[in-house]
Amino acid sequence: MLTPDGFVFNNTNPLMIAVLLTDILQKIQLQFRSLALRINFILEELQADLFVVLEHMQRPKEIESMLKQEDFAGKTVLQYVAELKLFDFLQNNHVNRVVNQMWESKADVGGSLFELSTSYYLVSENQLTFREDNEVRKRFYLNRKNERPLPHRFTFAVWKKSMSLRYFIESLIFFGCLLFFQYFVSDFNKKLSLSIREIKEFEGISDAILA
Amino acid sequence: MFTQATKMNIEPMALMLALEFESVLLRTTQVVVPVLLSRLEQKDLSFNEMKLFILQRLQRSFHFRHADTFVQILEQ
């Protein structure tokens, strides 16, 4: 079962399998001393198989990704290697190359130490004179000729309210006019009928006088 | 449920159960671990990370016979 073929073909990360097995075996070894000898043999075989597997992997990127892969507890293979003190594993050429590369890092760390400080950069390098200062531009007492206030996201709701208020006021004015005209028209009719009646009476009186 | 998941090779479910109910599984290792070990014994099913991770979590409560069986499997 612990053949290199089994490691390579049946697992996505044989290195992880190897370190997990080593971890379990070492813990069992501490728990049950009577199994120590047998476990030592297995660990030796496991390590030998691991070297064979590493020999078969020629691409450093592949080994690097395997070494950096985390298990379900969030621990990488390298962390396990450090915890389990598998120094022979680290001395392997391929692994050593990858670890050295990781130690040196791909990031450029050249330059002055002070340049890492934001305060230093602001004081020494940052030239505000050639840049537009928003704080100065937006001072409240300055004229805003070119600035147009943008509509708010909820402007539509305001429009809706304002429209309904306008309709309400218009309907109030309409009903007011209705009442006003109703009153005056009825008053006019009343007075008209009264004046007609009075005119008729006057006509009757005048006829009586003239007769 | 854990044993059923293990028997049916639904390892992600077994792993989730092991992570969620670790304390319960640790108290029932006499039931749970033999199933896992029997799956490991089968030749067609090789080791995988999930099974090993579950075993790693349950290792604290291993009985001697579990440890012995595990070592025997690796010795084969």
Side-chain angles (χ1 to χ4, degrees), chain B residues 4 6 9 12 17-19 23-24 26-27 30 32 34 36-37 39 41-42 45-46 48 50 54 58 61 65 67 74:
Chain B
Q4 282 301 316
T6 313
N9 285 329
L17 289 167
L19 290 171
S23 59
V24 180
L26 280 171
R27 275 182 259 134
Q30 72 276 11
V32 173
L36 265 174
L37 293 175
R39 301 309 292 175
E41 272 180 326
Q42 293 182 10
L45 301 167
S46 69
N48 65 39
M50 291 190 197
I54 296 167
L58 300 178
S61 301
R65 65 175 184 280
L74 290 171

Side-chain angles (χ1 to χ4, degrees), chain A:
Chain A
M1 197 172 283
L2 290 176
T3 56
D5 290 344
F7 269 137
V8 174
F9 293 121
N10 298 323
N11 297 300
T12 53
N13 189 350
L15 303 182
M16 179 63 82
I17 299 293
V19 290
L20 280 175
L21 272 175
T22 311
D23 187 40
I24 296 170
L25 285 171
Q26 284 195 2
K27 282 175 181 169
I28 290 174
Q29 199 175 19
L30 288 174
Q31 201 176 0
F32 305 106
R33 288 281 176 189
S34 59
L35 296 170
L37 189 65
R38 289 163 68 191
I39 287 174
N40 279 336
F41 280 122
I42 294 169
L43 287 175
E44 279 174 19
E45 281 181 26
L46 191 66
Q47 207 164 2
D49 288 340
L50 195 60
F51 285 134
V52 175
V53 171
L54 282 171
E55 290 298 324
H56 281 88
M57 286 192 286
Q58 297 296 332
R59 289 171 57 206
K61 284 274 178 193
E62 194 181 3
I63 299 173
E64 189 182 343
S65 67
M66 282 184 180
L67 287 172
K68 286 181 180 175
Q69 193 182 333
E70 291 179 354
D71 71 346
F72 300 99
K75 282 166 78 174
T76 60
V77 174
L78 275 175
Q79 280 174 318
Y80 274 112
V81 167
E83 278 180 17
L84 301 170
K85 296 177 182 171
L86 300 172
F87 300 124
D88 291 338
F89 175 76
L90 286 176
Q91 282 170 356
N92 179 274
N93 286 336
H94 301 291
V95 180
N96 194 21
R97 196 185 310 147
V98 172
V99 170
N100 280 335
Q101 198 181 350
M102 285 166 72
W103 177 255
E104 285 165 8
S105 165
K106 288 174 186 170
D108 181 19
V109 288
S112 166
L113 182 67
F114 287 115
E115 284 172 11
L116 296 172
S117 162
T118 312
S119 313
Y120 177 81
Y121 175 74
L122 285 171
V123 171
S124 64
E125 301 290 328
N126 196 17
Q127 298 292 330
L128 287 173
T129 48
F130 300 109
R131 294 180 191 180
E132 191 180 28
D133 191 351
N134 276 337
E135 196 276 321
V136 173
R137 190 170 60 81
K138 290 185 175 177
R139 282 182 183 168
F140 71 94
Y141 52 81
L142 294 177
N143 289 328
R144 283 172 170 73
K145 288 177 184 174
N146 298 326
E147 284 187 10
R148 293 180 64 191
L150 293 170
H152 191 265
R153 196 186 296 172
F154 303 125
T155 314
F156 180 73
V158 177
W159 290 345
K160 209 171 136 186
K161 291 260 182 194
S162 129
M163 281 163 73
S164 64
L165 180 68
R166 192 171 292 180
Y167 285 131
F168 179 69
I169 291 167
E170 274 186 19
S171 61
L172 275 180
I173 291 167
F174 172 76
F175 281 109
C177 289
L178 186 73
L179 288 172
F180 179 76
F181 284 112
Q182 187 66 35
Y183 173 76
F184 276 96
V185 167
S186 62
D187 190 46
F188 173 77
N189 283 335
K190 201 164 66 181
K191 284 176 178 170
L192 182 67
S193 62
L194 185 67
S195 60
I196 289 167
R197 198 172 65 216
E198 282 178 351
I199 287 166
K200 279 182 181 174
E201 281 176 9
F202 277 122
E203 281 176 350
I205 292 166
S206 64
D207 287 342
I209 293 167
L210 290 172

